[in-house]
């Protein structure tokens, strides 16, 4: 099995910063993409940012210039540094990893448990 454990969510004021972490563990041969989605109440889930071995990083337009995604491949961990937070960033943030468990297996997506980020105005 592959487990993803998130941390770093919480309550912050407008303009503040938070750093989310997501560590993958278990039976992992290789990870390609890692990233974050978010979903606010009453809204569709939105892809926030991804980092891929082959094609680098990608951000939603709504977070460009404010959020930075990074990863530590040795630790199978992805980070999301969120600066200049706005009330509209309030959501549950979910991390994912596209991973291969064995050299002969198939690529699958694995998910964290979700972490709440609340930005007060």
């Amino acid at each position: 099995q592959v487990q993803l454990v998130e941390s770093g969510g919480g309550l912050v004021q407008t303009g503040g910063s938070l750093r989310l972490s997501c560590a993958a563990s278990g039976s992992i041969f290789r990870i390609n993409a890692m990233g974050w989605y978010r979903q606010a109440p009453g809204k569709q889930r939105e892809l926030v940012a991804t980092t891929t071995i082959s094609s680098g990083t990608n951000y939603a337009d709504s977070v460009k210039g404010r959020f930075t995604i990074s990863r530590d491949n040795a630790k199978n961990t992805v980070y999301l540094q969120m600066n200049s937070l706005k009330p509209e960033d309030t959501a549950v943030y979910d991390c994912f990893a596209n991973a291969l468990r064995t050299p002969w297996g198939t690529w699958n997506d694995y998910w964290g448990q979700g972490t709440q980020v609340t930005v007060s105005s």
Side-chain angles (χ1 to χ4, degrees):
Q1 290 290 343
V2 177
Q3 298 84 35
L4 273 65
V5 178
E6 302 167 2
S7 61
L11 174 64
V12 65
Q13 290 185 334
T14 296
S17 297
L18 284 173
R19 188 188 192 213
L20 305 182
S21 300
C22 174
S25 63
S27 179
I28 299 172
F29 174 71
R30 186 169 294 162
I31 296 177
N32 183 19
M34 299 187 81
W36 299 86
Y37 279 81
R38 68 184 181 186
Q39 187 164 22
K43 294 188 177 181
Q44 287 190 332
R45 190 171 69 168
E46 174 187 27
L47 180 61
V48 178
T50 59
T51 174
T52 305
I53 297 293
S54 57
S55 55
T57 60
N58 186 51
Y59 297 92
D61 288 342
S62 58
V63 306
K64 282 181 181 177
R66 300 187 297 122
F67 290 11
T68 302
I69 190 169
S70 61
R71 67 193 281 175
D72 183 334
N73 292 323
K75 296 181 179 180
N76 288 332
T77 299
V78 63
Y79 306 95
L80 186 67
Q81 178 66 44
M82 305 185 292
N83 298 329
S84 302
L85 282 161
K86 305 174 181 180
E88 50 263 44
D89 294 318
T90 295
V92 175
Y93 285 69
D94 287 314
C95 73
F96 74 92
N98 182 247
L100 196 61
R101 293 181 60 192
T102 63
W104 53 86
T106 58
W107 292 95
N108 288 291
D109 288 337
Y110 299 89
W111 295 89
Q113 78 280 10
T115 188
Q116 177 70 45
V117 171
T118 302
V119 184
S120 62
S121 57

